[in-house]
Structures are given as structure tokens and as C-alpha cells.
Amino acid sequence: MGLAGTNRFLRTLGIYLIKRNRAFRSPLGQAMYLGYVSRRMRKLDKRPPFVHIETTNVCNARCTMCSYPIMQRPKGYMSDQLYLKILRDCAEMRVADVNLQYLGEPLLDQKICDRIREAKEYGFRVQMVSNASLLDEAKARGLLASGVDELRISMDGFTPKTFEDIRVGLKFEKVKGNVERFLDLRARHRGARPRVVMCFVGLAGNQSESKQFYDFWRGKVDLVLISQARDWAGQLPLVQLGATYSTSLPRVPCNHLWEEVIVLHDGRVTVCCESYDGQITVGDVREQPLAEIWRGPAYERLRRLHRENRAGEIPLCGACKYYAIW
């Protein structure tokens, strides 16, 4: 499991502890946890372990729980020059993991396999998230040859009706067939890469299928992740919102401000998924090295407000229901 996957697993475990473990909720447990968070923040001040590079923000689906249908920023594709500049910046910062996706469908980027290879030449662990609707045999073989380390596939239903009601514009049988063909090709390809993770975002309308989804895919892929939908800091009213990562415990500074950074396809830098339209912009890699942005005044102001328990002064953070798990 890569660093990013390990962090996500630990957060899932942390959420379970928050909900179930009395020792964790105790004053001593909280003091120990806050001490760990402080040490982790100091360690990550120098560089993010994970960088999302949005090579495109164009998508072929209109998923009901996603911010893409309400996104207002211009759609497009990252230039080769900008992409290579970001890779150099990440290498200079000794970033470990990159994800070549943010809000778009990366398989719409005709250069995605070349871009994976270029990232691998720098020594990064490369992850990609896809809806798999375009994962035909040619693209499957291209991904297998590219050296991508992890492929996450979002598929939020076990029956055609549920899937197609949520993932508007996609066809269940086509996506399922694409995934199964990819797994078959991977089995015949030299090596076990990429690691394949099936992702299911829980909503009230699909919760009854989560166990069937898990049981079907768990023996076929490396990991099955069941998560819960969120309302994008109040920006997307989800009538069928599932359970959220909310808790009555005091908030700690948000781990996203220390553990990852997002570079949009036009070069602007933002801080988390809730900022899908670049509402919080902390810099632009067309004008500055990523290292300067990471340690710059805009990022530091956000971190300081979180450390001082004043995150509510940041509009998006004040409306966010996510409870940070470090």
C-alpha cells in the first residue's frame, strides 16, 4: 500500500475509533492525539507527501453527488509545458506520490499514458482515479504499459438502475465489463501493477447495495473502499446524503492543509476538494515554484487560522462537515 493509501486507511480507522472507542474520546486520549497531530504538522511543513495534478477538468458523467455539474471554471486540458514544470517542482520538493486527476475524467486526456510514464521517470508513485467508462482494451493496455501504480475506479452501485441514477451519463454494464476486462488483462500482464481499488460513495439511495458491491469485488481487486458522500461544504444540497464524518469532538487543524496540494489544469493551486472552483487559491505554478507556494503567505495564513481554532473565518472551512483524521 502506497503512502496515500496508508494515510486513507489510517483515517478510516481513526473515524471508527472516534465513533466507537471511549479511550480515544477521553481527555488523555485526546491529548495524545493532539500531540501526534502537532508533530505531524511540523514534519510536513517542508513538503506535501501527495500532489493532485488535474491534467483535465473535463468529464463525461454528471454524478449526482459530485461538484462537477455545478463547477463554473473554464474547462480544458493542461499544457505539456506546464505539466512537465509541475513534475520538476514536485521532484525538487521530493514529493512521493502524485494523482493525475482532480475533477475531470483522466481517460479523456489523450496524453494520459504518456504523462504517467513521464511522472514515473521522475520516480513518483502514480495514482489515477477513473469512472472506467472509457477504459476500452486499447486504453487498458496503455495503462498497463505506462507503469501506473494504482488505479481507483469509482462505481457507486451494484445494479444498473442504481448506478445509472447516480452516475448520470454512464452505462452500468459497459463500465462493469471494462473493469473486468482490465482485471483479466492485468492478470496476464507481467507484474501485479497497477493496484486496483474499487470505490463506492454511499448515499441514501445506494446504501442497501454496499454489501453486495463489497462482496462481489473484494476477491477480484486489491481493495474495496466504501465512503460517504459529502455536501462540498454546503455548496451542493444532497437530499440523499449518506452519513458524514461529523463528530461532537473538538476539531483539529485540517490534515489537507499539510498532507496534499491540488494543481488545477490552468496552473492555479488550491487546497482541498471543497474548493472545486478554485474558491481558495494560494498561488499559481505558472508564476512561482510549487515549493514557494507551499511555504508562502497564503498557505500559511490558512494553516495559522486552523492551528488557532479560527478555521470558521475561512468561508469554505467554516461550512465544512469533514472531521480531519491525521
Side-chain angles (χ1 to χ4, degrees):
M1 183 182 292
L3 178 61
T6 301
N7 285 342
R8 284 165 175 76
F9 171 77
L10 290 174
R11 285 180 204 140
T12 302
L13 178 62
I15 290 164
Y16 175 81
L17 291 173
I18 286 173
K19 291 181 176 179
R20 304 294 183 190
N21 194 300
R22 292 182 180 179
F24 186 85
R25 289 173 172 269
S26 70
L28 177 60
Q30 279 295 286
M32 292 175 65
Y33 179 56
L34 290 173
Y36 162 74
V37 169
S38 295
R39 292 191 298 274
R40 179 98 175 129
M41 285 191 292
R42 288 194 296 271
K43 181 179 179 181
L44 294 174
D45 275 340
K46 295 181 180 179
R47 71 183 67 88
F50 199 84
V51 175
H52 301 268
I53 305 173
E54 183 187 69
T55 72
T56 182
N57 67 336
V58 180
C59 190
N60 60 335
R62 300 293 184 273
C63 302
T64 60
M65 72 298 194
C66 183
S67 62
Y68 181 81
I70 60 173
M71 182 180 68
Q72 297 298 308
R73 58 190 171 95
K75 297 178 177 66
Y77 295 83
M78 183 174 284
S79 70
D80 294 342
Q81 182 180 5
L82 179 57
Y83 178 70
L84 292 173
K85 194 266 186 187
I86 295 166
L87 292 184
R88 290 193 298 270
D89 284 359
C90 289
E92 289 172 5
M93 294 178 73
R94 290 185 292 163
V95 168
D97 292 75
V98 296
N99 171 39
L100 302 189
Q101 189 266 349
Y102 174 46
L103 269 187
E105 167 51 49
L107 291 179
L108 284 169
D109 180 357
Q110 298 302 310
K111 301 177 180 179
I112 192 63
C113 291
D114 291 334
R115 288 178 161 171
I116 292 168
R117 280 190 284 271
E118 288 164 345
K120 291 301 297 178
E121 288 173 3
Y122 278 91
F124 300 122
R125 289 189 292 266
V126 182
Q127 174 185 301
M128 195 182 85
V129 183
S130 173
N131 61 38
S133 63
L134 302 173
L135 189 59
D136 58 22
E137 183 170 347
K139 288 188 173 68
R141 291 186 182 278
L143 285 179
L144 289 168
S146 72
V148 64
D149 295 282
E150 181 172 295
L151 175 63
R152 294 193 170 211
I153 298 171
S154 300
M155 192 175 177
D156 310 304
F158 187 70
T159 62
K161 183 178 188 326
T162 299
F163 174 89
E164 291 167 15
D165 283 350
I166 293 171
R167 297 201 149 255
V168 179
L170 306 185
K171 294 298 180 182
F172 175 82
E173 294 297 344
K174 180 180 180 181
V175 171
K176 181 171 176 285
N178 286 350
V179 175
E180 290 176 328
R181 180 178 53 238
F182 182 82
L183 293 172
D184 181 61
L185 289 170
R186 185 186 69 159
R188 290 188 273 135
H189 194 265
R190 290 182 299 173
R193 286 190 307 180
R195 181 172 181 260
V196 177
V197 180
M198 294 298 294
C199 303
F200 181 104
V201 176
L203 295 153
N206 67 358
Q207 295 280 26
S208 62
E209 297 186 3
S210 60
K211 186 178 186 306
Q212 292 172 288
F213 181 91
Y214 179 82
D215 290 342
F216 180 81
W217 289 109
R218 67 174 178 170
K220 298 176 173 63
V221 300
D222 300 281
L223 181 66
V224 179
L225 284 181
I226 309 292
S227 62
Q228 300 297 331
R230 60 182 183 273
D231 66 357
W232 303 85
Q235 299 171 101
L236 184 64
L238 288 178
V239 180
Q240 295 194 356
L241 187 68
T244 61
Y245 297 148
S246 59
T247 174
S248 58
L249 291 172
R251 284 182 177 247
V252 295
C254 183
N255 56 294
H256 292 309
L257 294 174
W258 281 267
E259 291 188 342
E260 59 187 52
V261 63
I262 298 165
V263 185
L264 304 180
H265 78 90
D266 60 4
R268 289 180 297 148
V269 176
T270 189
V271 296
C272 73
C273 290
E274 269 61 29
S275 181
Y276 60 85
D277 255 335
Q279 298 96 317
I280 299 177
T281 300
V282 291
D284 191 322
V285 292
R286 292 170 298 185
E287 302 169 358
Q288 293 174 275
L290 188 58
E292 285 186 11
I293 296 171
W294 181 252
R295 304 183 192 112
Y299 240 130
E300 183 48 39
R301 174 183 173 273
L302 298 175
R303 295 186 185 116
R304 176 174 53 79
L305 289 172
H306 273 254
R307 282 193 299 261
E308 295 174 357
N309 199 27
R310 296 165 56 200
E313 296 178 26
I314 308 165
L316 279 184
C317 300
C320 184
K321 297 181 178 67
Y322 172 72
Y323 183 84
I325 299 295
W326 286 74

